[in-house]
Amino acid sequence: MATQQRSTFRRRQLGRELRRLRAEAGLTQGEAAKLLHFHGSLISRYERGYQVPGYHDLRAILDQYAVPVDDWQPYTDMGDKARAKGWYTEYGIGDYNYVSMEDEASLLREVQPGLVPGLLETTDYARA
């Protein structure tokens, strides 16, 4: 069963991959929906990340887009991650803004502007 929620980083990532696979298969959204017996706008909602296909729907999409069965695992893993709730939901933070992207980050940097004390802001100091 598909879930209707806000578009998050993981959902958009899965949607981009589904859009790429559909384009590689040479199908329009309407053609894909007709072949899969989906409502016309469902493919669009999947590709924009507003809705996540259920496990069996995702497998049907991959099959229709001629993705070899041996290559399905990364896409089903993406689907599982897209359906999962982030750790931040336990703290009342919703699935929006950049929280889900920060959750995926592998490196975090903090930048602070430098401060030059007033005593060092002299003409002689600047020349040196």
Side-chain angles (χ1 to χ4, degrees), residues 14-61:
L14 176 62
R16 281 191 299 271
E17 285 299 312
L18 292 176
R19 186 178 326 122
R20 183 185 62 78
L21 291 171
R22 179 181 52 77
E24 285 179 3
L27 298 170
T28 65
Q29 287 182 350
E31 292 169 343
K34 188 174 182 178
L35 287 171
L36 292 160
H37 300 282
F38 288 166
H39 188 271
S41 63
L42 188 58
I43 299 293
S44 174
R45 288 194 308 266
Y46 288 161
E47 290 181 359
R48 289 183 294 145
Y50 289 122
Q51 195 166 341
V52 181
Y55 180 75
H56 297 291
D57 284 348
L58 180 57
R59 291 171 59 103
I61 291 169

Side-chain angles (χ1 to χ4, degrees), residues 102-121:
E102 289 176 0
D103 184 37
E104 295 290 317
S106 60
L107 177 67
L108 181 65
R109 291 187 180 173
E110 183 177 337
V111 179
Q112 295 181 359
L115 174 68
V116 178
L119 293 175
L120 298 177
E121 295 178 3

Side-chain angles (χ1 to χ4, degrees), residues 2-19:
T3 57
Q4 175 76 34
Q5 296 182 1
R6 288 181 182 247
S7 176
T8 63
F9 175 71
R10 290 177 179 169
R11 292 185 183 125
R12 287 189 304 271
Q13 186 179 32
L14 176 62
R16 281 191 299 271
E17 285 299 312
L18 292 176
R19 186 178 326 122

Side-chain angles (χ1 to χ4, degrees), residues 78-89:
M78 260 194 261
D80 292 341
K81 285 182 177 182
R83 282 186 292 279
K85 290 186 177 186
W87 61 267
Y88 41 84
T89 57

